[in-house]
Amino acid sequence: MAAEKLSTRHLLGIKDITLNDIELIFETADNFKGVINRTIKKVPSLRDITIANIFFENSTRTKLSFELAEKRLSADVINFAASSSSVSKGETLIDTVNNILAMKVDMVVMRHPYAGAGVFLSKHINAQIVNAGDGAHEHPTQALLDAYSIREKLGEVRGKKVVIVGDILHSRVAISNILCLQKLGAEVMVCGPTTLIPKHIASLGVKVEHDLIKALNWCDVANMLRIQLERQDIKYFPSLREYAMMYGLNKQILDNLDKEIIVMHPGPINRGVEITSDVADSKQSIILDQVENGVAIRMAVLYLLASQRD
Amino acid sequence: MQKRTLLDGKKFQITIKRLCHQLIENHNDFSNTVLIGIQPRGSYFADRIKQELSETLKNKNIRKGNLDITFFRDDFRRKDGLVSANSNTIDFIIEDCNVILIDDVLWTGRTIRAALDALLAFGRPARVELLVLIDRRFSRHVPIEPDYIGQQVDSLDSQMVKVSWKETEGEDKVILLSDRNK
């Protein structure tokens, strides 16, 4: 039986929440999954709450997923994209957000290119903050939906072996995933070229492997991360073609393994780089389940946070 | 704290039998009628009604589901603590069916108001009727009245009606407690 309420007022990162919080979010998401599979996919729980989606960085699926979750809970939603706002005129983060809050906004879902932006904001404003990704730091709802999808597919996360493959250095998904999976009792390995694995990653208690085949033979689940070319200001590997040859997952590799593993990807996919199309669309891929579960997880997070409002 | 027993023993069984016979009078063989228990406590009562109807009609195919109303309540964030959700288990279509909504106690009517909202997410029923074991009359906040009543009781807001079921608490019993806060 999970806890009766979340231990935190904001969702800034997996680091700040407990195992009980994660279990409560999963239990609540189970119920919301039922809601979003009905003919009428909407419930009135958050009808008196206004949520601002503030995105200082581009996003398609996270933004859509949050917006859909908010609308399915009947919240009022406003959207803000930094590229088309007064931020480009030199306005500070606090000023921007305070202006939005002056419009009586109750919760803020924020994506920001700098690590710690959510924590910083939570100390200066009164609204509840949900971190939708802060730089290469954390992306808590993605980690929650990934772990939830593994639980759904394999029955439980405890004792399972998960390898995270690719650009660990620039990935907020990797850090949040490692923390979340470990809290739930999974074993985690990271795999990628030396240049894309942070030096001290082993201090988080994860295994490090540079050989993809060895990593795949070890794991039950392979989470193939996107190569974040937009965050790489220098070259970390000679060419995309070489990366795809060394760390790309294709059907042949998958079929040659002794066991059937599950393939995940947080999206968007660079088809032919991290995974080939036939892997992305195979029976072993749960990429679209991840997308569906994302809405249920985000509904659960927003619902549980809203219940803690004064 | 004072306790008064409203229903127990043989009277409890007779009440359920009577309610089932009333249902049969109006719904015949239940071919187009479904039972929906409101989670959590109404679902126990709905199980009992289904069991009794199945025995009386010699029909094991009576459809029964459980409806969770948590996300449709009007007191979200107005109560202390979180209202935890229960599961919905309605594995049939309620479109154009007669629905018997079942709960153990009818008090303010707000639960039933939320249940009607929640029910519509599963389709448009032909007709909805309400069956309750205990009707705390004169205490309604919304204009909702039951179609089938086990027993009516006049009670104060400070009182509480507690229904126990053989399957969960070991005995079938309804008691009226004098002070719900104690």
Side-chain angles (χ1 to χ4, degrees), chain A residues 134-304:
Chain A
D134 57 336
H137 180 224
E138 282 231 41
H139 192 353
T141 53
Q142 179 70 43
L144 288 166
L145 76 90
D146 286 345
Y148 182 82
S149 303
I150 294 172
R151 187 190 79 146
E152 186 180 65
K153 189 75 181 173
L154 298 178
E156 63 173 334
V157 179
R158 183 164 294 283
K160 299 291 179 287
K161 293 173 176 172
V162 183
V163 62
I164 304 171
V165 182
D167 187 357
I168 313 295
L169 186 66
H170 299 96
S171 174
R172 50 189 167 222
V173 175
I175 303 296
S176 288
N177 256 286
I178 291 168
L179 298 172
C180 187
L181 291 166
Q182 285 181 336
K183 279 187 183 177
L184 288 164
E187 278 186 77
V188 187
M189 176 187 275
V190 293
C191 176
T194 322
T195 49
L196 289 177
I197 305 272
K199 264 187 190 169
H200 304 293
I201 191 89
S203 64
L204 288 177
V206 299
K207 294 181 169 59
V208 180
E209 176 61 67
H210 299 294
D211 183 329
L212 179 67
I213 306 297
K214 278 187 189 167
L216 294 176
N217 274 314
W218 173 83
C219 73
D220 302 304
V221 181
N223 194 356
M224 311 299 293
L225 299 185
R226 185 173 65 88
I227 288 296
Q228 308 213 5
L229 294 170
E230 76 276 17
R231 281 176 212 273
Q232 297 182 3
D233 42 6
I234 57 169
K235 287 284 181 196
Y236 289 85
F237 45 84
S239 70
L240 274 181
R241 185 177 136 76
E242 185 168 321
Y243 180 86
M245 284 175 70
M246 299 283 287
Y247 294 100
L249 182 57
N250 59 41
K251 198 79 173 73
Q252 196 187 351
I253 296 176
L254 211 54
D255 292 343
N256 284 341
L257 296 175
D258 301 338
K259 53 185 174 181
E260 194 163 279
I261 62 163
I262 290 167
V263 179
M264 302 173 73
H265 195 299
I269 307 171
N270 294 316
R271 281 182 186 252
V273 182
E274 303 99 28
I275 54 176
T276 52
S277 280
D278 48 4
V279 172
D281 305 328
S282 72
K283 274 196 296 187
Q284 284 164 263
S285 154
I286 57 166
I287 295 170
L288 292 178
D289 297 313
Q290 287 175 267
V291 178
E292 181 187 338
N293 290 337
V295 179
I297 284 285
R298 286 169 179 128
M299 285 174 83
V301 166
L302 295 168
Y303 174 80
L304 291 168

